[in-house]
Amino acid sequence: MTVVGPFGLSVRDQALEADVQNGLSAVESGLLEATKSEVPFITEAAQHLVRAGGKRFRPLLVMLAAQFGDPHAPGVVPSAVVVELTHLATLYHDDVMDEADVRRGVPSANARWGNSVAVLTGDFLFARASHILADLGPEAVRIQAEAFERLVTGQILETAGPRDGRDPVDHYLDVIGGKTGSLIAVSGRFGAMMSGADEGVTDILTQYGERLGVAFQLADDVLDIASDSHESGKTPGTDLREGIPTLPVLHLRARAAAEGRPEDLELVALLDGDLTDDARHAQVLAGLRAHPALERARRDTVRYAEEARAMLAPLPECYAKAALEELCDAVVHRAG
């Protein structure tokens, strides 16, 4: 049993381990190659987050999904590079929107070079992803375009907020289905599709990725409240400070509105204040860490991870299926 990929995923078969490790190594080389430019400064900025590391969750899912066809098919590694480049590009843009100072344990691109460079570097990564994608065929281009549309739509919906009468929690789950679930779903789909797996398997792994992606983001929501910067790779309470309505906060607000408990209303009042004040921010963070809303968000994470696991039931029993099931456990474990 060897530990590979994000969260210490264990692979119990030597052939699968070799395929995954070799695939991820090839993806890493592909990422470095795709982020090179004739302009040294662009190379430095584009490789900033590549070299900072990261979980490579999406490429890992591509590699595991490819096990249901030919994992060595020529489109598998390039498609994994595409999804990771797209993900990296969104991180550059997200950090500008969130005014984040830290990403993956290093200064964010916007903190180091300013917002303009960060936005343009994200655009550069999108362009390089599109260049690789063009060689994978028109169906791959269409799939990626649809996912990217969902991703951007999710971001816009987050910015706009829920319409009148819409449950904020339902709205938020739609947001993260677009922002996070869409690209992780594409990871499962590309891995299966590029490996030549049949259409039924491809559909299963797409739906699995969608649900796992939502669970993954909900685990991030929990980590934003519950973790320290060493564990999460970014400043704790970043989303909180920027007023981003993550699931623990939404559950707190819903309970305060429904039950009117004084302690809940007091915490909401603190939350609605100036969280750029470090003392107030720390007070709200401590309050949320002790609040039942955080545990409820953890339960929601478990629910989506279990839905992802259930999607795998029709697949044949094999080491790759076991690894995909273990990814569900890993996401839950990450949320505590």
Side-chain angles (χ1 to χ4, degrees), residues 167-221:
D167 181 350
V169 171
D170 289 344
H171 171 83
Y172 181 65
L173 292 173
D174 282 348
V175 165
I176 62 176
K179 283 187 61 180
T180 305
S182 61
L183 194 57
I184 294 179
V186 166
S187 300
R189 189 169 184 177
F190 273 172
M193 187 175 85
M194 296 298 168
S195 72
D198 70 45
E199 188 175 339
V201 169
T202 300
D203 288 344
I204 286 169
L205 291 169
T206 303
Q207 293 300 318
Y208 163 85
E210 178 87 20
R211 288 159 176 77
L212 189 68
V214 173
F216 185 84
Q217 181 57 55
L218 295 184
D220 258 5
D221 286 3

Side-chain angles (χ1 to χ4, degrees), residues 237-308:
T238 296
D239 293 337
L240 190 65
R241 192 185 294 274
E242 297 305 319
I244 297 171
T246 58
L247 195 61
V249 170
L250 292 173
H251 281 326
L252 165 65
R253 291 187 183 278
R255 175 168 140 152
E259 301 179 14
R261 295 171 185 258
E263 62 271 25
D264 293 348
L265 295 171
E266 181 181 351
L267 187 52
V268 168
L270 285 169
L271 189 64
D272 289 337
D274 180 13
L275 294 185
T276 62
D277 178 79
D278 288 342
R280 188 184 192 106
H281 179 263
Q283 188 178 1
V284 172
L285 200 57
L288 280 168
R289 284 172 174 170
H291 197 276
L294 184 62
E295 182 56 35
R296 185 169 180 185
R298 284 194 176 101
R299 292 198 303 270
D300 289 333
T301 304
V302 171
R303 176 165 59 88
Y304 274 95
E306 288 305 313
E307 286 181 8

Side-chain angles (χ1 to χ4, degrees), residues 48-128:
H48 179 63
L49 290 184
V50 174
R51 294 187 181 279
K55 295 173 287 293
R56 302 295 189 254
F57 184 80
R58 292 155 188 82
L60 175 64
L61 182 51
V62 174
M63 296 304 141
L64 291 174
Q67 293 294 318
F68 294 89
D70 175 9
H72 307 118
V76 172
V77 168
S79 71
V81 173
V82 165
V83 292
E84 188 67 8
L85 281 176
T86 303
H87 171 59
L88 287 169
T90 66
L91 297 185
Y92 281 83
H93 288 177
D94 282 353
D95 285 346
V96 171
M97 295 181 68
D98 299 343
E99 299 179 3
D101 294 325
V102 177
R103 172 68 72 175
R104 296 184 171 176
V106 300
S108 62
N110 49 297
R112 182 168 178 181
W113 294 295
N115 287 347
S116 294
V117 168
V119 169
L120 292 169
T121 302
D123 293 345
F124 176 81
L125 295 180
F126 283 131
R128 287 298 174 87

